[in-house]
Amino acid sequence: MQKKDIIIKDDESNFKFNFRVAGIFVNDNKILLQKCEKDDYYSLIGGRVKYGETTIEALIREIQEEIGIKVNKKEVTLINVSENFFKYNGKEFHEILFIYKINNKQINQISEIKTLDKTNVVNKWYDISKLNIMDVRPNIITNLIESNKIVHCIIK
């Protein structure tokens, strides 16, 4: 039996709950972000946690699925747990997001990182000094780059 994503949909109230993970890759004062062609904002690489999966297992799986990079548990440090409330495509979302900093030497040597599981998503290295003028979500990412301590926050 294949494990399913932890997601709760309430179509009557147009509401959705997500349990997600994301990773921050930083190299040479640049951060790796992804952007879906239909969206106006940038985000971290990651995805939904599946039933019976730890957040670290989910992160390692999502990175492998999305960009083909193998990440080791020793390269991963939890730096943030966010509770996000937002609206997307007409639906109200409540999301729990675990953000990890990833120290992976393999990805630092790749300039063009393709998205393997979607054709409409582009991954690119962006200068960290430009983040304050970009729409990056969740908007706490700029504050987390230099951090190595766990922070919990609620974003509405």
Side-chain angles (χ1 to χ4, degrees), residues 88-114:
Y88 182 74
N89 285 340
K91 285 192 188 278
E92 296 288 336
F93 278 78
H94 182 176
E95 175 181 89
I96 305 297
L97 173 64
F98 281 61
I99 301 175
Y100 289 88
K101 191 178 248 183
I102 303 169
N103 183 15
N104 179 278
K105 291 181 179 21
Q106 178 187 1
I107 199 164
N108 293 344
Q109 298 170 13
I110 304 171
S111 57
E112 189 175 325
I113 300 160
K114 300 216 184 299

Side-chain angles (χ1 to χ4, degrees), residues 19-75:
F19 182 23
R20 295 189 75 247
V21 293
I24 293 180
F25 291 96
V26 175
N27 182 36
D28 268 346
N29 292 317
K30 294 186 186 285
I31 183 171
L32 183 63
L33 297 174
Q34 66 178 202
K35 184 178 181 307
C36 183
E37 291 172 356
K38 66 180 175 136
D39 295 328
D40 294 330
Y41 63 89
Y42 302 84
S43 61
L44 297 171
I45 296 171
R48 292 189 184 102
V49 178
K50 294 183 180 296
Y51 288 101
E53 187 176 50
T54 68
T55 56
I56 292 176
E57 291 167 343
L59 179 69
I60 290 170
R61 175 185 51 76
E62 285 289 345
I63 298 296
Q64 177 73 42
E65 288 174 1
E66 290 195 19
I67 60 173
I69 300 292
K70 291 186 180 187
V71 173
N72 184 304
K73 286 182 184 181
K74 294 176 184 171
E75 299 171 325

Side-chain angles (χ1 to χ4, degrees), residues 71-151:
V71 173
N72 184 304
K73 286 182 184 181
K74 294 176 184 171
E75 299 171 325
V76 170
T77 304
L78 178 65
I79 59 169
N80 184 267
V81 178
S82 297
E83 188 170 4
N84 302 320
F85 296 86
F86 59 94
K87 195 171 194 167
Y88 182 74
N89 285 340
K91 285 192 188 278
E92 296 288 336
F93 278 78
H94 182 176
E95 175 181 89
I96 305 297
L97 173 64
F98 281 61
I99 301 175
Y100 289 88
K101 191 178 248 183
I102 303 169
N103 183 15
N104 179 278
K105 291 181 179 21
Q106 178 187 1
I107 199 164
N108 293 344
Q109 298 170 13
I110 304 171
S111 57
E112 189 175 325
I113 300 160
K114 300 216 184 299
T115 303
L116 303 176
D117 62 344
K118 299 175 192 100
T119 57
N120 63 342
V121 176
V122 175
N123 302 303
K124 192 172 169 187
W125 291 99
Y126 291 91
D127 193 314
I128 290 171
S129 66
K130 305 271 195 258
L131 289 181
N132 58 344
I133 59 170
M134 296 171 64
D135 185 359
V136 182
R137 298 184 190 171
N139 60 8
I140 54 160
I141 292 170
T142 356
N143 300 333
L144 297 177
I145 293 172
E146 299 302 319
S147 173
N148 275 322
K149 55 187 171 187
I150 299 173
V151 178

